[in-house]
Amino acid sequence: MKDILFVDKKCEVCRCFGSYISKKSNSEIIIKDISNLDRKGFSSERMHFCSNNKMFSGHLAIFEVIKNIEELSIIKKTLNILPNFIKVFLYYTISKNRNSLAKLFKIIKPKS
């Protein structure tokens, strides 16, 4: 079974993250919209990653997705040493403010 990353495709930050992961990952990861997630009990406010019939949500999904991407090794190492409550706090802070972050990235993004 192929790995599936469920993201909010209406959110520019989530969509860009999914695109980045699909390009950089060593394994083939299918990116789907969170609305396609048919399992009950999984929040549509979180990112979800399905791999080997295991479902990861929130910060755990991000960690599982990036663990095989070499250029993100510093992020993996940082996440490994942080206490769990800090990882949860960071994830939810970014998640709640993702629309504001998308606007900020549009402002500071250099024009090509």
Side-chain angles (χ1 to χ4, degrees):
M1 180 179 179
K2 294 184 181 180
D3 296 341
I4 303 171
L5 178 64
F6 293 94
V7 298
D8 181 2
K9 288 199 173 180
K10 296 175 190 166
C11 167
E12 188 171 344
V13 173
C14 300
R15 199 173 50 246
C16 289
F17 179 76
S19 176
Y20 176 81
I21 293 302
S22 68
K23 290 177 187 173
K24 298 292 183 175
S25 180
N26 297 337
S27 61
E28 187 175 338
I29 297 177
I30 298 169
I31 310 299
K32 289 191 175 183
D33 189 48
I34 196 79
S35 63
N36 294 334
L37 185 62
D38 58 356
R39 295 187 183 189
K40 293 182 179 179
F42 290 99
S43 170
S44 63
E45 294 295 314
R46 296 186 200 170
M47 191 174 293
H48 301 284
F49 180 60
C50 183
S51 178
N52 298 325
N53 292 323
K54 293 181 184 176
M55 185 68 87
F56 302 94
S57 298
H59 72 283
L60 297 174
I62 291 177
F63 185 77
E64 286 296 317
V65 167
I66 69 169
K67 75 179 185 181
N68 294 324
I69 300 175
E70 189 60 38
E71 64 189 45
L72 298 178
S73 64
I74 190 71
I75 294 173
K76 293 183 290 192
K77 290 174 185 175
T78 303
L79 288 174
N80 276 333
I81 62 171
L82 287 176
N84 198 44
F85 74 93
I86 293 176
K87 291 184 252 189
V88 170
F89 173 77
L90 288 172
Y91 178 82
Y92 284 109
T93 301
I94 293 169
S95 177
K96 285 181 183 180
N97 298 301
R98 65 183 187 246
N99 293 322
S100 298
L101 286 171
K103 290 176 187 175
L104 177 65
F105 289 143
K106 282 182 182 179
I107 291 170
I108 63 174
K109 184 176 181 180
K111 298 188 183 209
S112 329

